[in-house]
Amino acid sequence: MLTAGIDVGGTKTLAVALDDRDVVGQVRLPTTLGPHGVVASVADAVGALAASLGQPVGAFAAVGVGVPGVVDHRDGRVAHAVNLAVREPLRLGPLLADRLDLPVSVENDVNAAALGAAHVLGVADGDLALLSIGTGLGAGIVTGGRLRRGARGAAGEIGHVPVDPQGPPCPCGQRGCLETLASGAALTAAWPVEGDASSAAAVFAAAAHGDVRAQQVCAAFGGHVAAGVRLLVLTCDVETVALGGGVSEVGLPLLDAVRAALRAQSTGSAFLSSLDLPARVALVPTDTPVGAVGAALAGMRR
Amino acid sequence: MLTAGIDVGGTKTLAVALDDRDVVGQVRLPTTLGPHGVVASVADAVGALAASLGQPVGAFAAVGVGVPGVVDHRDGRVAHAVNLAVREPLRLGPLLADRLDLPVSVENDVNAAALGAAHVLGVADGDLALLSIGTGLGAGIVTGGRLRRGARGAAGEIGHVPVDPQGPPCPCGQRGCLETLASGAALTAAWPVEGDASSAAAVFAAAAHGDVRAQQVCAAFGGHVAAGVRLLVLTCDVETVALGGGVSEVGLPLLDAVRAALRAQSTGSAFLSSLDLPARVALVPTDTPVGAVGAALAGMRR
């Protein structure tokens, strides 16, 4: 069965074709913003994906879409997709189903990436949280092979758990939220760079070249991400926490910093040590678009 | 089908008989500590319960037991049951099954209480966390009507999530754990009383009589328990958080303090306000032993 999975980001739209559970095709297009633009971007991506396989769009049995926003997966409605310039609730699923004449399911992009990461890392029937470290911080939670969305769709919103009463104000209205410490925005504040360059890449590179202040920033950041890992285990106790999102493209140096912090946090705590946290953290593979793969898996299940 | 549920505490053992899902009998005995004592206490309680119904022990189709400790529910083994003076791993399930000649399942007591609370509050097929505020702090999590134990049995260990880098050292080896702030032990430190009296009861009574310092202690405590509620929703997003454990016997004044803190924490945060937290907190009913009821339900499912 051929399924299309589309991951709609603020700048690019990634599409993959899954045949059963294997990736057999992949395309990437720029995203057009706004409600009409997002619908067109997804439809164009499905068309381009089909063309790349020499197939008509009707060859897909289903389409799954992942978007950054509050998603009602039951009716395919999207709200608060600010990065896509979609401010009013958008009936994305029904609009796409009409346009493509295919069954379409819509999922939050971090949830979709969690499903995709569990599949790609081979823990699809097990327990995994994807800790998505982008501009903000959030998690997608898979338990027993199924997404945990929560009673009101707030499962995994760990970026807004306060962890320091003296911490900085958070745009969410609280103070000392984990997102103010463990996010791309926090790294940008600590290590500003010019233009479109990535603070995460820059500060980890500077640390590798011996810059002491960069090393301090990276170690502290590793500690804050480690706090997120610990938080996910002490609440949901997922077996694996995968680091994803833009900041995770730093790769092994980030993983090393997080593992070092987890070891340091466990020092003197037999309880934490027994949880074996450093061994339970992984990186999302960079060679597979887990968001699009997860969107396709969600589409296949619908 | 008649099922026995036994909740073994450090001082008393509570037993209930469920006929299908209704409580039809109840007995309470003192607990004898130590491995032999615990086995005998459960066996005695099952015997007394059967006698109170005018039935033989064999009338029970199954027995469920809840104990404070680390439980492997698959083989009925109990470890670290310090409050029961059981320090070495104890094959509680198999020993009881031999002695009673009945199927026996064993569950952690907070997990059992979460199942029982979901049943008694009428959300048995839904989502509920039991926030157990005793000497320590922990949670039992039920999602979709099923216990979430976690990959390594650590789900709901929210007492050991650090929430303040400047907080006091925790016996677990970390600093500023939620348990150092939101537990019976924290109340005892803030409001010591003589003998066996309850600091929780005393400080809430003093607050009700206008003692300003007691009012401050209660408001701060409500804030820390509210942080636990928020933590459970922002990770697992259970629909209902029920307050249980010894401290919850304070009743409505505790619930009021927690709700007031949740409202205050939501002030200025549209995000938190949208989660409607004050309406999602409840008290575990004091007229039903939810731990024993939940143990029976777990026994019934096995």
Side-chain angles (χ1 to χ4, degrees):
Chain A
M1 189 176 84
L2 209 58
T3 315
I6 320 291
D7 184 25
V8 188
T11 54
K12 61 182 190 293
T13 294
L14 276 173
V16 302
L18 290 195
D19 187 5
D20 196 7
R21 297 167 77 85
D22 299 318
V23 176
V24 295
Q26 191 166 333
V27 299
R28 170 195 292 233
L29 299 175
T31 301
T32 309
L33 299 180
H36 295 294
V38 168
V39 172
S41 294
V42 175
D44 290 350
V46 174
L49 189 65
S52 78
L53 299 170
Q55 299 272 359
V57 165
F60 293 117
V63 175
V65 184
V67 290
V70 178
V71 175
D72 188 329
H73 73 279
R74 290 161 301 191
D75 65 6
R77 195 180 290 260
V78 178
H80 304 296
V82 179
N83 289 350
L84 303 181
V86 173
R87 288 178 178 82
E88 299 297 316
L90 174 66
R91 293 171 58 250
L92 181 60
L95 287 170
L96 281 167
D98 282 352
R99 179 141 165 185
L100 296 169
D101 197 21
L102 288 172
V104 174
S105 74
V106 184
E107 190 53 78
N108 169 269
D109 63 342
V110 175
N111 283 349
L115 278 178
H119 176 63
V120 171
L121 292 171
V123 293
D125 294 328
D127 275 4
L128 173 140
L130 177 88
L131 186 54
S132 179
I133 319 168
T135 307
L137 181 77
I141 298 169
V142 177
T143 61
R146 293 172 59 90
L147 268 180
R148 169 70 187 164
R149 298 184 182 88
R152 307 207 186 179
E157 286 283 3
I158 70 165
H160 298 293
V161 171
V163 294
D164 185 355
Q166 310 300 320
C170 179
C172 86
Q174 303 185 92
R175 177 175 287 278
C177 290
L178 187 56
E179 180 170 292
T180 64
L181 304 167
S183 64
L187 276 182
T188 301
W191 198 266
V193 292
E194 301 209 338
D196 285 345
S198 152
S199 285
V203 71
F204 275 92
H209 283 88
D211 185 306
V212 172
R213 200 172 71 76
Q215 288 169 347
Q216 291 167 343
V217 169
C218 291
F221 187 74
H224 299 314
V225 174
V229 173
R230 182 178 55 190
L231 184 57
L232 286 163
V233 170
L234 293 179
T235 51
C236 305
D237 192 18
V238 283
E239 175 62 23
T240 301
V241 179
L243 308 181
V247 172
S248 76
E249 290 168 18
V250 164
L252 277 178
L254 174 67
L255 182 63
D256 289 343
V258 173
R259 285 186 168 153
L262 288 168
R263 279 191 291 271
Q265 289 168 0
S266 298
T267 303
S269 174
F271 169 67
L272 265 196
S273 299
S274 75
L275 296 177
D276 200 16
L277 297 176
R280 295 165 72 178
V281 191
L283 282 171
V284 165
T286 50
D287 57 352
T288 307
V290 292
V293 169
L297 292 170
M300 196 181 295
R301 291 181 187 188
R302 190 54 52 81
Chain B
M1 189 176 85
L2 209 57
T3 315
I6 320 292
D7 184 25
V8 188
T11 54
K12 60 182 190 292
T13 294
L14 276 174
V16 302
L18 292 196
D19 187 5
D20 196 8
R21 299 168 75 86
D22 298 321
V23 176
V24 295
Q26 190 166 333
V27 300
R28 169 194 295 232
L29 300 174
T31 300
T32 309
L33 298 181
H36 296 294
V38 168
V39 173
S41 294
V42 176
D44 290 351
V46 175
L49 188 65
S52 77
L53 300 170
Q55 299 272 359
V57 165
F60 293 117
V63 175
V65 184
V67 291
V70 178
V71 175
D72 187 331
H73 72 279
R74 290 161 301 191
D75 65 6
R77 194 180 290 259
V78 179
H80 305 294
V82 179
N83 288 352
L84 303 180
V86 173
R87 287 177 180 84
E88 300 297 316
L90 174 66
R91 294 171 58 250
L92 181 60
L95 288 170
L96 281 167
D98 283 353
R99 179 141 168 186
L100 296 168
D101 197 22
L102 289 173
V104 174
S105 74
V106 185
E107 190 52 78
N108 167 270
D109 63 341
V110 176
N111 282 350
L115 278 178
H119 176 64
V120 171
L121 292 171
V123 291
D125 295 327
D127 276 3
L128 173 139
L130 177 87
L131 186 55
S132 180
I133 319 168
T135 307
L137 180 77
I141 298 170
V142 177
T143 61
R146 294 172 60 90
L147 267 181
R148 169 69 188 165
R149 297 182 183 91
R152 308 209 185 178
E157 286 285 1
I158 70 165
H160 299 294
V161 171
V163 294
D164 185 354
Q166 311 298 322
C170 179
C172 86
Q174 303 185 91
R175 178 175 285 279
C177 290
L178 187 56
E179 181 171 292
T180 65
L181 304 167
S183 64
L187 275 182
T188 301
W191 198 267
V193 293
E194 302 210 336
D196 286 343
S198 152
S199 284
V203 70
F204 275 91
H209 285 88
D211 184 307
V212 172
R213 200 173 72 76
Q215 288 169 347
Q216 290 165 344
V217 169
C218 292
F221 186 75
H224 299 313
V225 175
V229 173
R230 182 177 55 189
L231 184 57
L232 286 163
V233 171
L234 293 180
T235 50
C236 305
D237 192 18
V238 283
E239 175 62 23
T240 301
V241 178
L243 308 180
V247 172
S248 77
E249 291 168 18
V250 164
L252 276 179
L254 173 66
L255 183 63
D256 288 344
V258 173
R259 286 186 166 153
L262 287 168
R263 279 190 292 271
Q265 289 168 359
S266 298
T267 302
S269 175
F271 169 66
L272 266 196
S273 299
S274 75
L275 296 177
D276 201 17
L277 297 176
R280 295 165 71 178
V281 191
L283 282 170
V284 164
T286 50
D287 56 353
T288 307
V290 291
V293 169
L297 291 170
M300 196 182 294
R301 290 181 188 188
R302 189 55 49 83

